[in-house]
Amino acid sequence: MPVRVVGMNANARYLSAMVSDPRMLTTAPPRLPEQYERVELLRPERTRQGRSVPAGSRGTVVEILGDHEAFMVEFQQPFAALLTVRPATIRSVSE
């Protein structure tokens, strides 16, 4: 559904051109996990040793890097691993 722009400045016109769904303008961003919160990988990630932690693996945030720019997450399954991941690659889960 296209967005109709009426009487907006250049920045708003640029933003409206980027948004194809007007509901996105009112949708709150997803909440970022906090320390010791359980999270789930949304896509496979590789450890520094080259082992793959599959999507769907659940772990615990053990450290928040920067202003939630990245997270250190500890996994126990399918093997013990510590990964640094970006917010877009995880989601909070309740267990």
Side-chain angles (χ1 to χ4, degrees):
M1 174 183 320
V3 175
R4 183 173 177 214
V5 179
V6 178
M8 295 185 165
N9 65 25
N11 289 335
R13 279 193 298 274
Y14 175 75
L15 175 62
S16 68
M18 299 293 290
V19 177
S20 61
D21 184 350
R23 291 172 294 173
M24 291 179 67
L25 294 173
T26 59
T27 304
R31 186 183 67 76
L32 296 172
E34 296 298 329
Q35 192 168 16
Y36 305 121
E37 193 168 333
R38 297 285 290 165
V39 295
E40 180 179 68
L41 273 181
L42 298 176
R43 66 175 193 221
E45 292 285 336
R46 290 212 174 269
T47 66
R48 290 184 182 185
Q49 294 78 26
R51 296 181 76 183
S52 182
V53 180
S57 297
R58 292 185 176 193
T60 303
V61 174
V62 294
E63 189 172 344
I64 299 169
L65 305 173
D67 186 25
H68 289 84
E69 295 163 9
F71 302 89
M72 290 189 75
V73 180
E74 180 180 44
F75 295 90
Q76 296 301 316
Q77 298 292 327
F79 52 88
L82 185 63
L83 295 176
T84 301
V85 296
R86 298 277 179 198
T89 62
I90 57 174
R91 71 177 181 94
S92 296
V93 294
S94 58
E95 292 185 321

